[in-house]
Amino acid sequence: MNNMKKGNHKLIQALNRSKVLNKIRTEGPISRIELAKKNKLSPSTVASAVQELIREGYVSEIGTGSSSGGRKPILLKFNPDNHFLLAVSITNSVMILARMNLEAKVLAKETHPIAGLQGEAVIERLLHLMDDFMAGQKDLERCVGISINVPGIVSDSQGVVHYNTKLRMTNIPLKRIFEDRYGMRTWVENDMNSVVLAERRFGDYAFANLIYISIGDGLGSGILINDHLLRGKHGGAGEFGHTSVNRSGIRCECGNAGCLDSYISWIAVYSRIITAIATGRPTLIQELSRGDYSKIVPSVFKEALRKGDKLARDLNEEVAEHLGAAIVNLVNMFNPEALILGGDLAHGNPELLDMVSAYIDRHAMPILKDDMVFGLASLGEEDKLMGAASVLLQDLLGFSLME
């Protein structure tokens, strides 16, 4: 019984401490008195939490506030730069390693191509890069941990990458590998899940019911319901690219037929461009890439769009139709407050956003779509790194989403 009481006491202390830290972070500079009032905690509870946070360097005291007579209160503020975290973002084509502060600001980063590696070779390369990156870090004792995100089916609690088709990763215990090798607490999460958290925490979309969809190399989504990530049993929830849009369609490597991924991911768009060029259809894409197929990338496609190229516009319309239909299913199923579009094909492609928006308007249930916010992802190119940071910070500092 005593042990249980002790455990509960520790838990309550930790919760109070994270409540206090959160308030200092979101509302600071703030006095101890205000903290006690706003968190409905006793002044002594606040005082001991603050003392601990100051000692560990998460919080510092700054000058005095104004007072209504009597002593002026000392104000507290959050210190994002006293500690740092290491973030790793694995995509299907590159690995990005970064040092970040506790407000998810990138302090240093490196980007390395994966260059066709698969399976174990991906992990070997990652560890090799990480060894070098760690060796270059000063004051590692101030590092709060390592956070990794990766596309595919990921169990966040076990830190295992169960399945990634493109990199051929199967049941890789990344968390254990990293913790054993570097002796540092490690978090592992699906890339889309982590980005939806970052959009909620650091982006323009502070909603508790939020869906993020990324359309690029592949197609994925992160779904936040009542401020909880929708993960499913194996971490596979949100495999948006593998929802079927055509039962008699193209066979997919996932085992299904007619997957959305096969119709609108960049790989699908690219193969349609190549076919069109091969059959002699005139397009600016050929000139822009100087006839070199390897130079045909999303930015070239978007440049052709801007210049009014007919092929690019036709393909963009096709993507919008398929994407719109799939999004309407999500809207009708989950009734989100906001839905965000991100990824290479969406950024810098306002026509796509407009066409999808019009499609949702025509086809989703009126009550569900009328007050739904629909827009472009707001975090820019550091979104995956900020996602990795958000996963760690939410857990470590109790960056509770509900403020």
Side-chain angles (χ1 to χ4, degrees):
M1 184 67 194
N2 277 357
N3 274 351
M4 199 168 160
K5 264 192 183 154
K6 218 183 260 174
N8 284 347
H9 181 63
K10 275 230 159 333
L11 182 65
I12 289 164
Q13 266 184 321
L15 283 173
N16 287 339
R17 174 189 148 120
S18 80
K19 267 189 200 167
V20 167
L21 181 56
N22 247 320
K23 269 284 182 280
I24 296 172
R25 196 180 60 78
T26 54
E27 297 191 21
I30 187 170
S31 70
R32 287 170 175 79
I33 308 286
E34 278 294 294
L35 280 171
K37 269 190 215 150
K38 288 194 169 168
N39 283 314
K40 300 188 174 58
L41 294 171
S42 74
S44 65
T45 301
V46 168
S48 67
V50 165
Q51 191 182 356
E52 212 174 289
L53 291 166
I54 290 175
R55 193 175 65 242
E56 289 169 25
Y58 290 108
V59 167
S60 59
E61 295 186 329
I62 54 169
T64 52
S66 56
S67 106
S68 47
R71 272 210 336 229
K72 286 187 176 162
I74 291 165
L75 300 181
L76 302 158
K77 75 173 182 62
F78 176 55
N79 269 343
D81 294 308
N82 199 56
H83 295 75
F84 66 93
L85 61 96
L86 297 173
V88 177
S89 172
I90 302 171
T91 74
N92 291 324
S93 52
V94 296
M95 293 179 190
I96 309 169
L97 287 71
R99 176 179 173 128
M100 303 176 80
N101 80 355
L102 301 195
E103 287 283 19
K105 184 170 158 241
V106 175
L107 306 171
K109 75 167 182 172
E110 294 178 0
T111 304
H112 302 274
I114 286 178
L117 297 176
Q118 292 192 318
E120 291 295 323
V122 176
I123 303 305
E124 275 170 38
R125 170 113 172 105
L126 174 61
L127 293 174
H128 176 72
L129 293 171
M130 195 68 190
D131 287 350
D132 287 353
F133 192 67
M134 295 280 271
Q137 299 304 317
K138 294 182 182 64
D139 48 22
L140 271 174
E141 71 286 346
R142 292 199 290 118
C143 179
V144 293
I146 302 168
S147 188
I148 307 170
N149 61 29
V150 57
I153 295 177
V154 177
S155 157
D156 69 301
S157 53
Q158 299 163 311
V160 173
V161 180
H162 285 306
Y163 190 52
N164 175 310
T165 47
K166 298 200 171 63
L167 298 176
R168 301 256 180 273
M169 288 161 81
T170 311
N171 296 330
I172 296 186
L174 259 191
K175 177 180 165 76
R176 199 182 71 223
I177 294 169
F178 265 67
E179 290 189 341
D180 289 353
R181 190 178 184 98
Y182 303 113
M184 251 179 220
R185 225 178 132 189
T186 302
W187 286 256
V188 180
E189 179 59 275
N190 164 273
D191 57 346
M192 296 295 123
N193 283 353
S194 65
V195 172
V196 80
L197 278 185
E199 282 284 0
R200 165 79 173 98
R201 161 59 47 226
F202 296 107
D204 296 341
Y205 299 93
F207 299 99
N209 292 286
L210 184 61
I211 296 180
Y212 169 79
I213 291 167
S214 172
I215 167 171
D217 273 1
L219 206 62
S221 71
I223 301 170
L224 203 59
I225 304 280
N226 293 337
D227 264 330
H228 287 85
L229 278 172
L230 183 71
R231 288 201 171 90
K233 181 180 174 190
H234 296 293
E239 282 293 316
F240 182 56
H242 297 289
T243 48
S244 188
V245 291
N246 179 357
R247 286 307 307 145
S248 53
I250 305 161
R251 297 290 305 170
C252 177
E253 58 197 357
C254 79
N256 199 354
C259 282
L260 189 58
D261 199 76
S262 311
Y263 293 85
I264 69 170
S265 67
W266 168 246
I267 294 156
V269 172
Y270 174 81
S271 67
R272 260 185 246 140
I273 293 169
I274 300 298
T275 307
I277 291 173
T279 54
R281 184 166 171 189
T283 168
L284 283 174
I285 295 172
Q286 186 148 23
E287 289 141 55
L288 292 171
S289 60
R290 298 193 179 86
D292 178 350
Y293 285 1
S294 69
K295 295 252 174 3
I296 299 174
V297 291
S299 57
V300 167
F301 169 72
K302 287 182 289 194
E303 196 180 331
L305 261 182
R306 275 194 295 279
K307 294 185 167 161
D309 181 64
K310 177 87 170 74
L311 173 69
R313 289 174 73 168
D314 288 352
L315 289 175
N316 212 31
E317 245 167 74
E318 255 178 68
V319 168
E321 286 284 305
H322 279 303
L323 186 57
I327 285 176
V328 165
N329 287 339
L330 286 185
V331 171
N332 290 348
M333 180 99 86
F334 293 112
N335 184 17
E337 292 167 87
L339 196 140
I340 314 170
L341 213 49
D344 275 350
L345 278 178
H347 286 294
N349 188 349
E351 297 83 8
L352 182 70
L353 201 72
D354 293 344
M355 288 187 286
V356 170
S357 184
Y359 192 100
I360 295 170
D361 217 38
R362 286 199 305 277
H363 298 286
M365 284 187 206
I367 179 74
L368 303 185
K369 67 162 203 267
D370 284 350
D371 60 352
M372 184 184 82
V373 173
F374 177 62
L376 261 187
S378 66
L379 295 174
E381 56 190 40
E382 308 292 20
D383 59 349
K384 301 265 177 75
L385 290 174
M386 292 176 84
S390 300
V391 169
L392 182 154
L393 293 170
Q394 186 181 318
D395 201 23
L396 182 82
L397 304 182
F399 269 29
S400 66
L401 293 169
M402 287 169 273
E403 241 127 54

